[in-house]
């Protein structure tokens, strides 16, 4: 075998044995690079006799072309194999079922608004809303808070800058101004539930500057305190999803109701766990959940109604507060921290719409 035949065999073997593009390039450099073996033979042509140089030059060119062709062919084969491997690895089985746990969650505040609206909706209340930025008159004066009366200080009000006429708008401190708006717009009988944002300058474990309330208002010609009690007891049974709810109506004061009461719910705090409906084992306690009362005659008058004809009751309940009690959420500030881990834990599945028949919070 001539020297070139041996070289050809060795170079072709190296090209065809290259397992990847990197090894193939090394084989190319070894054959055709500046210091490659074929190039080395080319360099020796200059020192040869003309006849021999001609023959050797032709042979070297043929060999060079053959090796370059072999490299191209090997390269194409390796690239095809790499593509096949990638396609096999990235294969998607489109027949697999969709992921069973959706990432999105319903916020406990939205869930609570849905639950409470479903319960009062079932009792014949319609849902009404009002503006977050209120006049001082709707938020206080019409609700029987006299000008300069200390009761206005009870509510840590956020005031807006005074207008040209000296009056100041407020961020509503409660949902009660929607009582006034509704009585001014709508003739009795009235039966409304008002969910909405409210604002007070306060910040600790159980208070945030923005929070949510539910206002209830019933006005007709015969509603009395007994109806108020029955309505709230029925609500608590449905909302907390237990039959043996115990409520304590404790005399209290609000300028816009007379008589007024705050309602406490009996709970059990055994072993640091808060539960409703496990009473009588010495770990009973009371937790305040709402304020209520019969609508004050002055409020009815301010809204154009005759107190000798019309009467009714109102209540106001903290949304975060009842959500915290029902779902065991320890810190009210966490509602507004936008922490996805908190949402994954306390949030609700989007398609579980609360209804009385289908279940409120399962
Ligand atoms: N508005 C009262 C509050 O925010 C609650 C309330 C509403 C009390 C209706 C009585 C009647 O504290």
């Amino acid at each position: 075998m001539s020297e070139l035949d041996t070289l050809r065999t060795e170079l072709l073997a190296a090209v065809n044995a290259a397992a990847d593009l990197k090894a193939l390039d090394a084989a190319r450099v070894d054959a055709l690079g500046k210091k490659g073996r074929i190039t080395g033979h080319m360099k020796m042509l200059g020192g040869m006799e003309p006849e021999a140089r001609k023959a050797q030059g032709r042979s070297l060119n043929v060999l060079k072309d053959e090796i370059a062709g072999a490299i191209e062919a090997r390269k194409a084969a390796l690239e095809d194999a790499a593509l096949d491997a990638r396609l096999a690895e990235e294969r998607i089985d489109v027949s697999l079922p969709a992921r069973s746990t959706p990432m999105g969650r319903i916020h406990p505040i939205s869930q609570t608004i849905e639950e409470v609206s479903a319960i009062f909706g079932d009792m014949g209340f319609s849902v009404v809303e009002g503006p977050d930025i209120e006049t001082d008159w709707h938020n206080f004066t019409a609700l029987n808070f006299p000008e300069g009366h200390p009761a206005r200080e009870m509510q840590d009000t956020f005031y807006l800058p005074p207008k040209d006429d000296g009056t100041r708008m407020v961020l509503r401190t409660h949902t009660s101004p929607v009582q006034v708006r509704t009585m001014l717009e709508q003739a009795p009988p009235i039966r409304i539930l008002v969910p909405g944002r409210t604002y007070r300058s306060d910040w600790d474990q159980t208070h945030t500057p923005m929070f949510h309330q539910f206002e209830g208002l019933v006005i007709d010609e015969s509603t009395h305190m007994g109806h108020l009690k029955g309505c709230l007891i029925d609500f608590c049974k449905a909302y907390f999803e237990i039959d043996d709810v115990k409520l304590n109506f404790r005399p209290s004061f609000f300028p816009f109701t007379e008589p007024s009461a705050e309602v406490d719910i009996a709970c059990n705090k055994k072993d640091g766990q808060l539960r409703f409906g496990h009473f009588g084992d010495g770990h009973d306690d009371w937790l305040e959940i709402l304020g209520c009362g019969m609508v004050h005659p002055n409020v009815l008058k301010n809204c154009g109604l005759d107190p000798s004809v019309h009467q009714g009751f109102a209540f106001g309940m903290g949304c975060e507060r009842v959500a915290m009690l029902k779902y065991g959420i320890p810190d009210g500030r966490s509602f507004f921290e936008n922490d996805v881990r908190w949402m994954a834990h306390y949030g609700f599945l989007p398609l579980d719409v609360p209804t009385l028949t289908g279940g409120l919070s399962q």
Side-chain angles (χ1 to χ4, degrees):
M1 227 203 262
S2 77
E3 200 188 343
L4 284 194
D5 283 338
T6 314
L7 180 60
R8 176 178 174 274
T9 310
E10 285 176 12
L11 291 179
L12 282 178
V15 166
N16 291 326
D20 54 31
L21 292 170
K22 211 173 143 207
L24 182 62
D25 199 52
R28 182 189 61 79
V29 171
D30 183 47
L32 306 171
K34 269 193 201 152
K35 293 178 182 164
R37 294 172 73 185
I38 295 181
T39 321
H41 281 279
M42 294 282 198
K43 283 179 187 159
M44 290 191 301
L45 290 174
M48 292 171 83
E49 294 298 317
E51 276 306 303
R53 184 202 303 158
K54 213 172 165 188
Q56 177 77 343
R58 195 180 304 123
S59 299
L60 278 173
N61 274 330
V62 170
L63 177 60
K64 196 176 147 189
D65 286 350
E66 191 183 351
I67 297 299
I71 290 173
E72 274 312 304
R74 183 70 189 151
K75 192 173 170 212
L78 286 174
E79 281 173 351
D80 277 356
L83 183 62
D84 283 349
R86 220 180 86 197
L87 289 177
E89 195 179 304
E90 291 176 1
R91 203 177 109 99
I92 293 171
D93 185 349
V94 291
S95 67
L96 284 175
R99 273 177 217 266
S100 59
T101 331
M103 291 299 287
R105 287 286 191 280
I106 301 294
H107 195 282
I109 293 295
S110 306
Q111 171 79 15
T112 305
I113 291 176
E114 290 298 322
E115 291 183 22
V116 174
S117 303
I119 297 168
F120 283 106
D122 192 60
M123 294 190 215
F125 287 64
S126 34
V127 173
V128 168
E129 289 181 313
D132 289 17
I133 300 177
E134 264 297 4
T135 67
D136 186 275
W137 186 81
H138 287 91
N139 195 80
F140 291 125
T141 314
L143 288 166
N144 200 34
F145 287 79
E147 298 286 351
H149 190 277
R152 292 188 185 222
E153 310 305 315
M154 271 162 50
Q155 301 200 343
D156 302 313
T157 313
F158 285 115
Y159 284 96
L160 273 72
K163 295 199 278 195
D164 288 344
D165 63 6
T167 59
R168 303 179 90 179
M169 301 290 278
V170 301
L171 292 184
R172 67 177 177 193
T173 56
H174 49 181
T175 39
S176 302
V178 189
Q179 288 187 31
V180 176
R181 291 184 174 274
T182 307
M183 285 188 272
L184 286 171
E185 276 164 23
Q186 188 181 318
I190 293 171
R191 198 178 285 191
I192 56 158
L193 178 78
V194 186
R197 294 195 186 99
T198 49
Y199 305 83
R200 292 183 199 176
S201 181
D202 214 348
W203 177 256
D204 62 34
Q205 192 172 344
T206 50
H207 296 92
T208 50
M210 189 282 294
F211 59 105
H212 297 75
Q213 283 191 338
F214 297 103
E215 191 82 11
L217 176 69
V218 173
I219 301 285
D220 57 24
E221 296 180 13
S222 57
T223 291
H224 55 68
M225 193 87 184
H227 296 125
L228 167 60
K229 278 189 84 169
C231 172
L232 292 176
I233 291 169
D234 278 356
F235 163 73
C236 286
K237 283 185 183 171
Y239 177 72
F240 290 106
E241 298 174 82
I242 43 168
D243 278 336
D244 58 344
V245 166
K246 275 203 294 186
L247 295 182
N248 181 33
F249 285 72
R250 180 165 40 78
S252 184
F253 171 78
F254 300 102
F256 37 93
T257 46
E258 182 57 37
S260 304
E262 277 177 312
V263 176
D264 304 318
I265 183 166
C267 61
N268 184 292
K269 286 185 170 167
K270 196 175 175 189
D271 303 329
Q273 255 212 0
L274 180 65
R275 280 174 306 173
F276 303 97
H278 298 262
F279 312 121
D281 67 353
H283 293 90
D284 297 349
D285 207 344
W286 294 98
L287 276 169
E288 183 198 320
I289 54 166
L290 58 86
C292 62
M294 300 305 293
V295 178
H296 196 292
N298 288 351
V299 176
L300 294 169
K301 277 189 232 155
N302 291 340
C303 298
L305 295 177
D306 179 353
S308 65
V309 178
H310 288 113
Q311 59 188 341
F313 65 75
F315 60 85
M317 186 165 57
C319 177
E320 284 77 2
R321 184 154 185 93
V322 294
M324 284 164 77
L325 291 178
K326 181 167 178 180
Y327 295 114
I329 300 171
D331 191 326
R333 291 170 293 202
S334 61
F335 283 108
F336 309 113
E337 281 168 354
N338 292 332
D339 185 332
V340 285
R341 293 163 304 178
W342 185 90
M343 274 297 278
H345 184 75
Y346 289 112
F348 293 83
L349 292 179
L351 297 179
D352 290 349
V353 179
T355 60
L356 285 185
T357 43
L360 285 178
S361 57
Q362 273 84 43

